[in-house]
């Protein structure tokens, strides 16, 4: 799938992986619609129009998809919006906040599915290209889908759900010429990590077999680009983790 001259939706685009992805797709000629909760401080980027929308709001997402399809054809969707608060099942303050568990599932899993489904409806209306292809959706899971650590029960459940939906979504949407793939990153240096000490960061990097460094948002954006461009990769979750396997804590 070509990136030039198509519309692309990137969620979580105001920060971290989403922002790097929005910048990379725009630099390669896509008209990017960057969806996020708060876009007031989002870095200005050429060819990126920010749209304030919550991935848990069907109405706001329908609006964002309509905007992108209007400037269309909408062919690329990258789901990066996500949250990652941690809590143990039995913590110091008692049992895991059940509302927090639901919220993490709602944003990370239901939000990803809602964006995928509403965007697929718009992509399915576009003119098919070679071999009937119309578009591609890339989701973001995490290595925590496989090796969730202590305190990640909700986060891992949500990311495991994203891994689980990848193949059936690709199968469902195959007849419409839409591919679906997921990236499961290891530890990426995003604003989330900016608050930890240099020492702690070095410790995290030392745990990565090779390359022995933290991943950068640009590594993620590069893989998004490659998965968009490679028409034969479909229904797959790709780990991007330097062979990291997370320990329990
Ligand atoms: P980030 O810098 O916090 O970016 C995530 C963005 O999503 C933020 O701008 C956030 O807004 C937004 N967001 C949160 N809830 C939303 C909602 N309901 N609707 C719309 N936007 C929402 O995090 P990141 O590190 O780039 O992470 C991006 C994705 O990669 C997440 O799904 C994360 O789980 C996954 N991931 C990250 C890493 C890592 O090491 N960084 C590793 C594996 C997987 P607010 O800031 O206002 O909440």
């Amino acid at each position: 799938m070509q990136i030039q001259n198509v519309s692309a939706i990137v969620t979580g685009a105001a920060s971290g992986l989403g922002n790097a992805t929005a910048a990379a797709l725009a630099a390669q000629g896509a008209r990017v619609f960057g969806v996020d909760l708060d876009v007031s401080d989002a870095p200005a980027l050429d060819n990126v129009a920010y749209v304030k929308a919550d991935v848990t709001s069907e109405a706001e997402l329908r609006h964002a998809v309509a905007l992108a399809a209007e400037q269309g054809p909408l062919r690329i969707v990258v789901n990066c919006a996500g949250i990652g608060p941690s809590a143990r099942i039995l913590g110091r303050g008692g049992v895991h906040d059940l509302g927090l568990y639901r919220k993490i599932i709602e944003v990370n899993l239901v939000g990803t599915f809602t964006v995928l489904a509403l965007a697929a409806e718009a992509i399915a209306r576009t003119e098919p290209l070679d071999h009937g292809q119309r578009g591609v959706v890339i989701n973001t899971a995490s290595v925590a889908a496989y090796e969730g650590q202590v305190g990640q029960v909700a986060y891992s459940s949500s990311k495991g759900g994203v891994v689980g939906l990848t193949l059936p979504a690709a199968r469902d949407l195959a007849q419409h010429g839409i591919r679906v793939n997921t990236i499961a990153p290891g530890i990426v240096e995003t604003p989330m990590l900016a608050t930890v000490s240099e020492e702690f960061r070095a410790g995290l990097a030392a745990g990565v077999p090779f390359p022995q460094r933290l991943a950068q948002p640009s590594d993620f954006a590069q893989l998004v680009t490659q998965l968009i461009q490679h028409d034969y990769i479909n229904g797959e979750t790709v780990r991007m983790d330097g062979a990291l396997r997370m320990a329990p804590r």
Side-chain angles (χ1 to χ4, degrees):
M1 173 72 55
Q2 228 182 286
I3 293 173
Q4 215 176 9
N5 293 326
V6 303
S7 283
I9 291 178
V10 179
T11 73
S15 177
L17 305 186
N19 193 255
T21 300
L25 296 182
Q28 290 172 80
R31 286 179 293 279
V32 178
F33 293 80
V35 168
D36 212 300
L37 273 183
D38 179 3
V39 295
S40 55
D41 287 337
L45 293 167
D46 284 346
N47 283 326
V48 178
Y50 289 104
V51 184
K52 182 175 156 39
D54 184 330
V55 297
T56 67
S57 161
E58 181 185 336
E60 291 177 14
L61 288 178
R62 282 192 183 278
H63 172 69
V65 168
L67 276 179
E70 235 169 63
Q71 307 289 315
L74 174 62
R75 298 207 185 276
I76 297 170
V77 177
V78 188
N79 270 306
C80 291
I83 53 173
S86 63
R88 295 185 186 212
I89 299 171
L90 300 178
R92 281 200 200 99
V95 73
H96 196 296
D97 180 335
L98 302 179
L100 179 66
Y101 186 90
R102 281 178 195 277
K103 179 165 186 197
I104 295 171
I105 298 291
E106 186 69 24
V107 174
N108 293 359
L109 177 56
V110 183
T112 293
F113 176 70
T114 311
V115 172
L116 179 154
L118 296 179
E121 191 185 23
I123 297 172
R125 286 197 292 261
T126 63
E127 281 299 312
L129 305 168
D130 295 355
H131 306 290
Q133 62 176 329
R134 287 192 171 86
V136 55
V137 180
I138 315 273
N139 303 311
T140 308
S142 163
V143 295
Y146 308 103
E147 299 117 33
Q149 298 192 286
V150 165
Q152 286 193 307
V153 69
Y155 184 71
S156 294
S157 306
S158 70
K159 296 301 188 179
V162 173
V163 171
L165 69 73
T166 303
L167 179 62
R171 288 174 163 172
D172 265 17
L173 296 174
Q175 61 178 301
H176 302 287
I178 303 170
R179 290 183 294 118
V180 182
N181 290 303
T182 292
I183 299 172
I187 311 165
V188 193
E189 208 160 1
T190 65
M192 247 193 246
L193 275 188
T195 53
V196 307
S197 70
E198 198 53 53
E199 195 186 350
F200 185 74
R201 214 178 300 188
L204 289 175
V208 182
F210 189 80
Q212 208 167 75
R213 62 170 174 84
L214 300 179
Q216 296 301 310
S218 57
D219 293 315
F220 178 87
Q222 181 187 16
L223 182 53
V224 168
T225 300
Q226 289 162 339
L227 290 175
I228 291 167
Q229 288 171 332
H230 202 303
D231 296 340
Y232 210 73
I233 300 183
N234 192 13
E236 183 60 23
T237 299
V238 182
R239 291 182 70 124
M240 190 202 76
D241 61 4
L244 175 69
R245 297 294 179 271
M246 300 287 263
R249 64 183 81 224

